[in-house]
Amino acid sequence: AYFTTPTPGRANTGGVELLGPILNDIGHTPTVARTTEALVVTTRVARTLSPVASVRLRYLVQFGGEVELPMLDDGTHGDGAAGDGVFGALIPAGVAQPGQMIRYFIQAADNAGSSSRDPLYLSPLDSEKYHGTVVTNPAVTSQLPIVELFVPPASVGAIDGESGGRVAVFFDGELYDNVLMEVRGNTTAGCNKKSHRLEFPRDHRLRHPGPGGRLRRTSFMADYADPSMLR
């Protein structure tokens, strides 16, 4: 087994049994694609107990259905030299419109039938399900930082309540998946423009320009109740 959470001084618990191929150095280029550019996704794959049998990419645009592509180490799929252990796949140009989100995960299997996935998605409530990016929208420009928020239909009403809903956030070239978003405040919860609290997955916290490390929790503050904008 591969223990995903360390337990020093205590018995080993949890973990992933029958570990499949190891997935490392996962990434995509360009960081933010244009509609005319293919999104190249790559990963380095290493065997564990048995030889690697297959590597596959599953992607989706916005909240549509998943599309599966083979990832190959043949030197023709953005993977570099053939046979170097790096596998690649090309998500075709034009599958997403300007401002739309593209998400994906990678799954590898070996000859013994064991498989691995990245992101691991060990907890539906506390881990990422997909990696991803956003197609650039040249119509949106600002000297201020831009936060792009993607809310699935099932979460549109939920994010304005205390139970919250799951959303995706894109900021400064980085996509955060499966973020919990809920209303923030008591009196201001009844305002037309609401403030919201966000809780990021433990395995992908928010990178921000301020001091300190990545954040697990932050808020989007509405100025509806404070039009002075003094803070």
Side-chain angles (χ1 to χ4, degrees):
Y2 176 79
F3 298 105
T4 54
T5 303
T7 54
R10 294 177 286 136
N12 293 329
T13 57
V16 180
E17 296 185 6
L18 298 176
L19 184 67
I22 297 174
L23 301 171
N24 280 319
D25 302 329
I26 294 174
H28 57 264
T29 54
T31 301
V32 180
R34 298 184 178 91
T35 54
T36 56
E37 295 176 307
L39 188 68
V40 182
V41 181
T42 58
T43 180
R44 184 174 295 277
V45 185
R47 63 170 289 173
T48 51
L49 302 177
S50 300
V52 177
S54 66
V55 184
R56 297 189 176 277
L57 174 77
R58 296 187 67 89
Y59 78 89
L60 68 160
V61 176
Q62 293 290 89
F63 306 105
E66 292 179 354
V67 179
E68 184 175 277
L69 295 175
M71 298 190 74
L72 302 173
D73 183 12
D74 60 358
T76 64
H77 287 77
D79 53 297
D84 62 356
V86 176
F87 288 70
L90 281 69
I91 298 176
V95 298
Q97 298 302 307
Q100 290 190 325
M101 171 178 60
I102 301 175
R103 292 179 293 169
Y104 63 87
F105 74 89
I106 296 172
Q107 193 162 30
D110 62 24
N111 287 342
S114 297
S115 64
S116 301
R117 184 192 195 280
D118 199 295
L120 289 174
Y121 193 48
L122 296 176
S123 169
L125 301 179
D126 201 19
S127 59
E128 274 197 319
K129 187 175 183 180
Y130 299 102
H131 299 298
T133 187
V134 169
V135 176
T136 186
N137 185 354
V140 178
T141 60
S142 176
Q143 295 184 30
L144 298 174
I146 297 174
V147 176
E148 299 180 57
L149 181 65
F150 298 87
V151 185
S155 294
V156 169
I159 62 174
D160 283 343
E162 294 183 358
S163 60
R166 297 285 162 172
V167 303
V169 177
F170 187 76
F171 175 67
D172 195 21
E174 199 164 340
L175 182 77
Y176 303 87
D177 184 52
N178 203 26
V179 178
L180 175 64
M181 185 174 184
E182 60 189 8
V183 73
R184 184 187 190 278
N186 294 316
T187 303
T188 57
C191 292
N192 290 335
K193 295 182 180 179
K194 307 179 192 305
S195 296
H196 291 89
R197 173 181 171 273
L198 286 86
E199 184 172 302
F200 290 78
R202 291 184 186 273
D203 55 4
H204 195 182
R205 306 182 186 211
L206 175 66
R207 176 174 54 84
H208 62 97
R214 287 178 177 253
L215 294 175
R216 179 119 195 272
R217 298 178 180 89
T218 190
S219 297
F220 289 163
M221 301 297 294
D223 65 354
Y224 190 81
D226 184 16
S228 64
M229 298 186 183
L230 292 177
R231 57 182 177 84

